[in-house]
Amino acid sequence: MCNYHRFRLITILIFFFLISNSVVAQTLTIVSKADLGPISGVFVYTNDFSLAVATDEDGKADISRFKNEPLIIIQHPAFKNVTTSYPELKELNFKLSLVESVVGLDEVTISVNKWEQKTSEVPNKMARISAKKIAFDNPQTSADLLENTNEVFVQKSQLGGGSPMIRGFSANRLLIVVDGIRMNNVIYRSGNLQNVLSVDPASLESAEVIFGPGTIIYGSDALGGVLNFNTVPVKLSSSGKYEMKGSSFIRYSTASKEQSENVMLNFRFKKWGFVTGLSFSEFGDLRAGSNRNEDYPYFGMRNEYVAQVDGRDTVMLNSNPDVQIGSAYTKTNILQKIRFKPNDSIDVNLNFVYSTTSDVPRYDRLIQYSDNTLKYAEWYYGPQDWLMGSLNMLNKHKTKLYDQLKISLAYQNYEESRHDRKLYATDLRSRTEQLNIYSLNIDLDKELSPATHFYYGFEEVINTVTSSGIKTNILNGDVVPSASRYPDGGTFYNIGALYSSLKTKLNQKLDFTGGVRYSNIYLNSEFDTNPYDFSFSNLNIQTGALNGSLGIVAHPIEELQLNVNVGSGFRAPNLDDVGKVFDSEPGNVVVPNDNLQSEYAYNADFGLNWNIQSIAELKLSAFYTYLDNAMVRRDYTYVDQDGVEHDSILYDDEMSKVEAIVNTGYAHLWGGNAMISFDLTEKIGITSSANFTYGIDDEDLPMRHVPPFFGNTSVFYTTNRLKASLYCNYNAARKLEDMAPSEQDKAYLYTEDGAPAWYTLNMKLSYQLHKNIQVNCGLENILDVHYRPYSSGISAPGRNFYLTLRASL
């Protein structure tokens, strides 16, 4: 039996095992009306606050002291408040169901300064994604999870990918953090980046998007924002006896013939705990929508593809041009966490995350034509392998230096590769990169007074890179060396940083946050061979940056929150910026630039959150970013070892124009977001959001990663055991002449006029068959509209029905 079918059998067995188990309730139990799941952190208190308790992770709270209280208030940020009494709760057998609200209250985040903090005290704009939202939205990947916030735009070059865009920034200008460890490495590219795919949405407890520079806490790369992912925590036994909790799901969707399975188990003891998670997904070739814009009736059709017939490349006709042949792939994720808590002061966690994929076809390259013939027979990414191991220690024993101390040691091993072969060619070119990444983080929290907290810390990150290239003759298997993507003599990259941050409550209506960080970055990369005859044999960069931020949160009245935040950020050149050689698009080749310098962002944020009598909420935000010394791709000339300048280069047997990443003078980015939510009735709620971003450089040219206007409107219906949503996603057009020059060079991704506007109608629901069994289903793109999001190389799914069965213990 193959590994895939064995894993599927194990998943199904565990799924039905979990169904057969149930939990016996005690004292007051509070659950969600929609899914019957326990709600932790529910605040139960009397009108005068003389008595107060909170529910535990099982939704339970001891309210025996409330026996003589005529009025009991029950409150949770994500649910509607309930006012009741002890006799009324007794009549309900001490079981209470709460109704979800689309109007949020005072939630808690853990990202902005790496310590728990109420969002009402945070000046940054944030979007938080809970485990319940993740389950209801049913994202196939973490890129889809981010897109479901309706505040993050996602580009896809292929089905096995997803590159977030935030405030005109993307790829290596966004920082990805998993359990407090930065994923970004020295080869994160400035083009579209698919690494967020390595994060398994099924293993997440929550995710957060921090908009704007997050440099003070997280360092280089956090120009447009921080994507913070938190995997499920290891919980210990509340009774002191052995316990086991778990969940499992199986899912099928039609547009890509997806089949996914997940198992998550938590073994709990008094001082020890273990979490084990396994996920597997298989995707077939994606079917796009068939209802095309009447002005572009043939746009996005996959009329032909290349296949091997009797050992020869053959151009085949596609019997269904809506099926995007060459997009199928699989992915696997494994999570293992171990926790040891010997006492109330010490908490130690050992975490392992592993993610891999099959070969992932680069669909946007497979649809390129040259002289009216498909250009490539093969173009695919090899398996994207990512392993992270981290040891985290929290010490709550107070000293003069700190009240809490976190130490995180982490190791990551990462490998990616690219493989391409032109039509009828016999040589398959392969380029492989392997990285080892070591990091140390020390974070401290000190309460200077009841109103003031001081945070400070240290970070050290080391990257080592090897890059190689070969060509393989597909007829006889002969292998010969070939030019690598990066310098083949190896690369060393080091980040060292110190930071501090202060949060203080100036008065009952004003909170202040400020911070500063100094970073020092060193890069050295060597060429063993120099196939392109560059004038230099090594690349050496050393730079530093001092950044700061100031923020104020004001509450002029209880229902209104105003935010102002100003700060700076920076991104130091990495290996992908200064050292790569690759074909960015047909006829253009990017070469190294050993004079590249850091770019800096200066940002101002303004926000308004207005809670209107707890039945409506209005959120408005605006930002302006000045990007100085911006790194962009431009035409370039390089100098060979004889001192001769060249504006073209022979690459892959084709003479191509030379480009490089260079520092331009500056760029301006500005925009905003508006979101409004209503609880129309106890069962019906509405949310609507809109996002707009603009960006130009000092030549008045559009910035590449600025998406068109986009938004969402959703209607939610919640009743006993059922939650449903009918929603519309919409996106404005972007004319070709309004795109960045690098996008205009990719006209094959667009219509002759650019990226057309589009909208989709969708619906989804969850139904709780039993307190341990849930069914999720949805119908996406109901009208089967054909559309391709801005900058994407693959058309979006057509009409898609999905069905998910979940079980929990």
Side-chain angles (χ1 to χ4, degrees), residues 734-745:
R734 173 65 55 83
K735 294 181 180 179
L736 198 63
E737 60 264 29
D738 294 332
M739 297 182 187
S742 59
E743 287 301 300
Q744 294 182 27
D745 288 338

Side-chain angles (χ1 to χ4, degrees), residues 443-712:
D443 301 292
L444 306 98
D445 166 24
K446 182 64 179 179
E447 184 181 283
L448 302 181
S449 73
T452 304
H453 276 260
F454 182 60
Y455 309 98
Y456 61 107
F458 166 81
E459 180 181 52
E460 182 79 15
V461 181
I462 294 173
N463 286 219
T464 63
V465 184
T466 58
S467 183
S468 60
I470 60 171
K471 284 186 178 180
T472 304
N473 187 299
I474 63 170
L475 298 181
N476 57 28
D478 287 348
V479 178
V480 296
S482 178
S484 57
R485 179 177 171 91
Y486 302 110
D488 56 354
T491 298
F492 177 85
Y493 182 69
N494 174 255
I495 302 173
L498 294 167
Y499 80 89
S500 64
S501 178
L502 182 75
K503 179 178 73 73
T504 185
K505 184 174 285 295
L506 300 176
N507 55 50
Q508 291 300 313
K509 295 185 177 181
L510 283 177
D511 293 284
F512 169 83
T513 301
V516 65
R517 180 187 184 102
Y518 177 76
S519 301
N520 184 76
I521 289 144
Y522 172 76
L523 182 150
N524 185 73
S525 191
E526 303 283 344
F527 290 90
D528 274 353
T529 60
N530 194 350
Y532 301 107
D533 196 31
F534 298 133
S535 61
F536 45 83
S537 60
N538 79 306
L539 299 164
N540 192 291
I541 292 177
Q542 184 162 6
T543 185
L546 180 67
N547 296 101
S549 70
L550 297 172
I552 292 178
V553 180
H555 295 270
I557 58 175
E558 185 177 353
E559 298 83 7
L560 181 64
Q561 176 176 325
L562 302 174
N563 300 343
V564 178
N565 191 59
V566 295
S568 63
F570 87 106
R571 187 175 74 84
N574 67 11
L575 181 61
D576 193 81
D577 298 314
V578 302
K580 71 181 171 186
V581 180
F582 89 116
D583 52 333
S584 57
E585 56 261 335
N588 295 334
V589 170
V590 173
V591 301
N593 175 7
D594 58 343
N595 293 313
L596 201 60
Q597 300 175 7
S598 297
E599 58 185 356
Y600 298 85
Y602 304 94
N603 182 80
D605 262 282
F606 308 91
L608 177 151
N609 293 354
W610 185 18
N611 189 294
I612 307 170
Q613 297 182 347
S614 297
I615 61 171
E617 184 177 32
L618 175 65
K619 293 184 177 181
L620 301 175
S621 65
F623 76 94
Y624 169 77
T625 303
Y626 178 78
L627 185 63
D628 191 27
N629 225 25
M631 290 187 242
V632 297
R633 195 163 70 225
R634 289 288 185 266
D635 292 345
Y636 190 71
T637 59
Y638 75 91
V639 179
D640 66 19
Q641 295 188 25
D642 295 324
V644 179
E645 293 187 352
H646 299 267
D647 61 5
S648 61
I649 191 171
L650 185 65
Y651 181 85
D652 197 20
D653 300 322
E654 180 178 328
M655 191 60 69
S656 300
K657 182 176 69 174
V658 170
E659 295 181 327
I661 304 295
V662 301
N663 296 107
T664 64
Y666 58 85
H668 300 278
L669 297 116
W670 66 97
N673 165 268
M675 181 178 295
I676 189 165
S677 305
F678 296 95
D679 277 328
L680 294 182
T681 69
E682 183 178 292
K683 297 181 179 180
I684 300 175
I686 297 177
T687 67
S688 187
S689 65
N691 306 271
F692 53 95
T693 307
Y694 304 94
I696 56 173
D697 65 17
D698 60 348
E699 298 179 14
D700 288 333
L701 296 172
M703 297 292 286
R704 176 184 179 187
H705 293 297
V706 175
F709 169 89
F710 67 99
N712 164 277

Side-chain angles (χ1 to χ4, degrees), residues 3-22:
N3 290 337
Y4 167 64
H5 291 293
R6 184 181 296 113
F7 175 66
R8 176 166 293 178
L9 177 60
I10 293 171
T11 302
I12 293 173
L13 290 174
I14 294 176
F15 179 84
F16 285 106
F17 169 76
L18 294 174
I19 288 175
S20 66
N21 289 273
S22 60

Side-chain angles (χ1 to χ4, degrees), residues 124-262:
N124 307 72
K125 174 175 168 53
M126 298 187 61
R128 187 173 188 275
I129 311 162
S130 66
K132 283 184 176 291
K133 177 172 173 57
I134 294 171
F136 182 67
D137 287 341
N138 259 288
Q140 293 179 338
T141 68
S142 286
D144 299 326
L145 177 151
L146 295 170
E147 190 173 38
N148 287 337
T149 64
N150 304 314
E151 298 183 68
V152 177
F153 190 90
V154 173
Q155 176 275 353
K156 290 187 179 182
S157 297
Q158 62 273 336
L159 180 60
S163 185
M165 297 183 186
I166 299 175
R167 294 186 169 185
F169 295 102
S170 185
N172 56 17
R173 287 167 168 163
L174 302 177
L175 185 65
I176 304 173
V177 178
V178 178
D179 290 335
I181 308 299
R182 58 182 291 143
M183 277 185 68
N184 290 43
N185 59 53
V186 70
I187 65 168
Y188 266 32
R189 56 189 179 271
S190 58
N192 298 309
L193 191 69
Q194 321 299 329
N195 294 66
V196 74
L197 191 77
S198 296
V199 181
D200 179 19
S203 70
L204 296 179
E205 173 73 8
S206 65
E208 293 141 1
V209 182
I210 307 169
F211 295 84
T215 302
I216 302 306
I217 302 300
Y218 293 104
S220 178
D221 305 345
L223 292 184
V226 178
L227 308 172
N228 186 69
F229 297 97
N230 306 298
T231 60
V232 294
V234 183
K235 296 181 179 179
L236 304 178
S237 172
S238 57
S239 65
K241 299 179 181 179
Y242 167 73
E243 299 173 357
M244 187 184 81
K245 302 283 185 180
S247 64
S248 178
F249 73 75
I250 51 178
R251 181 175 62 222
Y252 177 78
S253 61
T254 58
S256 60
K257 297 182 180 178
E258 175 211 8
Q259 299 177 69
S260 294
E261 297 86 22
N262 167 264

Side-chain angles (χ1 to χ4, degrees), residues 256-536:
S256 60
K257 297 182 180 178
E258 175 211 8
Q259 299 177 69
S260 294
E261 297 86 22
N262 167 264
V263 174
M264 191 71 63
L265 298 173
N266 183 188
F267 304 95
R268 308 179 183 184
F269 301 88
K270 183 178 181 179
K271 296 182 178 181
W272 289 87
F274 305 86
V275 161
T276 300
L278 300 171
S279 295
F280 184 86
S281 293
E282 180 179 25
F283 302 93
D285 291 324
L286 180 66
R287 185 186 65 81
S290 60
N291 291 327
R292 286 174 166 78
N293 189 314
E294 61 183 11
D295 294 329
Y296 318 105
Y298 305 110
F299 175 58
M301 284 188 173
R302 177 73 150 141
N303 293 309
E304 54 187 10
Y305 61 97
V306 178
Q308 284 266 306
V309 178
D310 295 329
R312 298 186 60 186
D313 291 337
T314 305
V315 177
M316 310 287 290
L317 292 178
N318 187 1
S319 60
N320 184 352
D322 293 330
V323 176
Q324 300 174 96
I325 294 176
S327 55
Y329 78 104
T330 64
K331 67 184 184 78
T332 302
N333 294 84
I334 301 173
L335 174 70
Q336 181 62 59
K337 305 180 78 170
I338 303 170
R339 180 183 180 186
F340 175 56
K341 188 178 181 181
N343 53 53
D344 291 338
S345 297
I346 302 297
D347 200 342
V348 181
N349 284 265
L350 182 62
N351 303 335
F352 296 95
V353 180
Y354 176 69
S355 172
T356 189
T357 66
S358 64
D359 291 340
V360 179
R362 173 99 186 243
Y363 185 79
D364 63 339
R365 294 299 181 101
L366 296 178
I367 61 175
Q368 284 185 25
Y369 279 79
S370 177
D371 297 327
N372 296 317
T373 303
L374 287 169
K375 183 175 181 178
Y376 291 100
E378 299 179 78
W379 211 122
Y380 61 91
Y381 292 106
Q384 182 173 285
D385 292 333
W386 174 58
L387 169 69
M388 181 177 77
S390 63
L391 177 63
N392 308 293
M393 191 270 291
L394 173 63
N395 184 352
K396 292 185 178 182
H397 180 71
K398 294 184 179 182
T399 71
K400 292 182 178 180
L401 293 178
Y402 61 83
D403 294 335
Q404 296 185 88
L405 165 69
K406 289 181 183 178
I407 299 177
S408 297
L409 284 166
Y411 167 74
Q412 299 178 66
N413 181 270
Y414 179 75
E415 179 176 317
E416 66 178 26
S417 59
R418 295 163 176 81
H419 311 263
D420 63 271
R421 182 175 63 84
K422 290 184 177 178
L423 184 64
Y424 305 127
T426 58
D427 285 338
L428 175 68
R429 182 179 59 165
S430 301
R431 292 162 297 166
T432 302
E433 282 71 54
Q434 293 181 320
L435 289 88
N436 292 295
I437 307 160
Y438 310 87
S439 63
L440 168 65
N441 287 81
I442 300 176
D443 301 292
L444 306 98
D445 166 24
K446 182 64 179 179
E447 184 181 283
L448 302 181
S449 73
T452 304
H453 276 260
F454 182 60
Y455 309 98
Y456 61 107
F458 166 81
E459 180 181 52
E460 182 79 15
V461 181
I462 294 173
N463 286 219
T464 63
V465 184
T466 58
S467 183
S468 60
I470 60 171
K471 284 186 178 180
T472 304
N473 187 299
I474 63 170
L475 298 181
N476 57 28
D478 287 348
V479 178
V480 296
S482 178
S484 57
R485 179 177 171 91
Y486 302 110
D488 56 354
T491 298
F492 177 85
Y493 182 69
N494 174 255
I495 302 173
L498 294 167
Y499 80 89
S500 64
S501 178
L502 182 75
K503 179 178 73 73
T504 185
K505 184 174 285 295
L506 300 176
N507 55 50
Q508 291 300 313
K509 295 185 177 181
L510 283 177
D511 293 284
F512 169 83
T513 301
V516 65
R517 180 187 184 102
Y518 177 76
S519 301
N520 184 76
I521 289 144
Y522 172 76
L523 182 150
N524 185 73
S525 191
E526 303 283 344
F527 290 90
D528 274 353
T529 60
N530 194 350
Y532 301 107
D533 196 31
F534 298 133
S535 61
F536 45 83

